[in-house]
Amino acid sequence: MSIRAEQLTWKIGGKTVLDTVSLEAAPGEMLGLLGPNGSGKTSLLRLLAGLKPPHSGRVMLEREDVRSISRQSIARRVAFVEQHATTNANLKVIDVVKLGRFPHRSMFSGWSPADEQAVEDALEKAGMTGKRDDYWHSLSGGEKQRVHIARALAQTPKELLLDEPTNHLDIQHQIGLLKLVSGLSVTSIIALHDLNHAAMFCDRLVVLRQGRVVASGHPGDVLTEDLLKDVFSVEARVELSAHHARPHIHYLR
């Protein structure tokens, strides 16, 4: 077990946003979070990242409750790429990625060879080495997302959480970014809108509706025609590939 949520409940005022949600991501697994807008995906990721405490239940990293772990220690192993992350336009790519080393540094520590290696590795994994000296404002949307991922990887995390990272990207950059994430040797939990992309790249899926888990498991078991109609209100035909039972969804008019 890498990261686990146990019976998480979280509320805003009198509204229950997450209701007894449980899930588990195994080491090296890519777990997809699906659900309509307002189903609780972003709130769940923020709880998993330790940014908010649940009203009940707990989040476990290995065998430790995140509430017993310091914020800096969590940041050293859990990286969160938020949907609307912002960056100073005057920074170069290399400077943005260096920000990922902040959790590993003390107030008086100098820049170390380990910091340098982590940044270089992150740039290479994200395919942004050639853009290291470019300024943020000159990058395309897909390149900016890759830099955000490089900054997260510079933390040298064991768990990578991503909130709909393919939003507003063209199809080429969507596929490229998901290939990048699926090829990383970290545990990743990723919220997605595109069901076919989730089926193509994720090892397992968790489907939320109104803050509750309504389905979880292998994509071929989860993405059924009945679920698509019941949860997403769409009529569709689902085909399974012959070898890997990866579903492909054909939306019907």
Side-chain angles (χ1 to χ4, degrees):
M1 180 268 291
S2 180
I3 185 169
R4 183 173 72 229
E6 298 179 350
Q7 299 289 302
L8 292 182
T9 295
W10 189 66
K11 303 177 181 181
I12 298 179
K15 179 184 178 182
T16 299
V17 178
L18 295 170
D19 187 0
T20 59
V21 170
S22 295
L23 60 80
E24 181 174 332
E29 183 176 54
M30 184 170 175
L31 178 66
L33 292 182
L34 303 178
N37 287 338
S39 60
K41 300 187 296 295
T42 296
S43 297
L44 177 55
L45 287 172
R46 293 183 70 80
L47 263 63
L48 292 173
L51 299 178
K52 294 180 179 292
H55 287 91
S56 63
R58 61 181 183 172
V59 175
M60 304 292 289
L61 290 175
E62 303 298 346
R63 294 175 175 81
E64 289 188 85
D65 189 323
V66 296
R67 287 173 292 194
S68 68
I69 308 173
S70 71
R71 180 64 243 165
Q72 185 176 26
S73 295
I74 294 173
R76 285 174 177 168
R77 67 167 292 165
V78 180
F80 183 24
V81 180
E82 300 190 67
Q83 184 175 346
H84 301 294
T86 58
T87 296
N88 189 320
N90 293 323
L91 290 179
K92 290 184 177 182
V93 167
I94 184 67
D95 297 320
V96 175
V97 178
K98 283 182 175 181
L99 294 174
R101 296 304 297 165
F102 181 78
H104 296 271
R105 296 164 53 75
S106 69
M107 184 180 299
F108 303 106
S109 64
W111 188 255
S112 71
D115 293 324
E116 190 69 29
Q117 189 63 53
V119 168
E120 294 300 325
D121 289 346
L123 284 167
E124 183 177 356
K125 288 176 181 176
M128 294 302 292
T129 300
K131 296 282 186 176
R132 60 186 298 125
D133 293 320
D134 289 12
Y135 282 94
W136 177 259
H137 63 79
S138 71
L139 303 178
S140 69
E143 289 169 340
K144 287 178 178 177
Q145 284 291 55
R146 283 179 174 265
V147 174
H148 281 310
I149 290 175
R151 179 171 62 180
L153 293 177
Q155 292 176 230
T156 57
K158 292 184 179 179
E159 292 85 18
L160 178 63
L161 312 179
L162 304 102
D163 188 10
E164 298 184 4
T166 58
N167 268 13
H168 311 302
L169 301 183
D170 60 37
I171 187 65
Q172 175 190 1
H173 287 113
Q174 289 180 36
I175 296 296
L177 190 144
L178 291 172
K179 282 183 177 179
L180 163 63
V181 174
S182 66
L184 297 172
S185 57
V186 298
T187 304
S188 58
I189 301 179
I190 179 169
L192 291 169
H193 262 310
D194 191 300
L195 303 182
N196 277 315
H197 287 171
M200 186 184 310
F201 290 101
C202 295
D203 300 303
R204 288 191 307 113
L205 302 175
V206 171
V207 181
L208 297 173
R209 179 177 59 186
Q210 297 179 345
R212 296 183 66 92
V213 175
V214 295
S216 64
H218 187 275
D221 299 322
V222 169
L223 295 176
T224 65
E225 294 173 4
D226 287 342
L227 180 131
L228 297 177
K229 183 176 182 179
D230 185 39
V231 175
F232 296 96
S233 301
V234 295
E235 298 281 350
R237 178 167 50 87
V238 178
E239 293 182 352
L240 295 179
S241 63
H243 300 294
H244 303 292
R246 293 275 181 177
H248 184 78
I249 300 166
H250 300 270
Y251 296 102
L252 305 178
R253 287 181 148 182

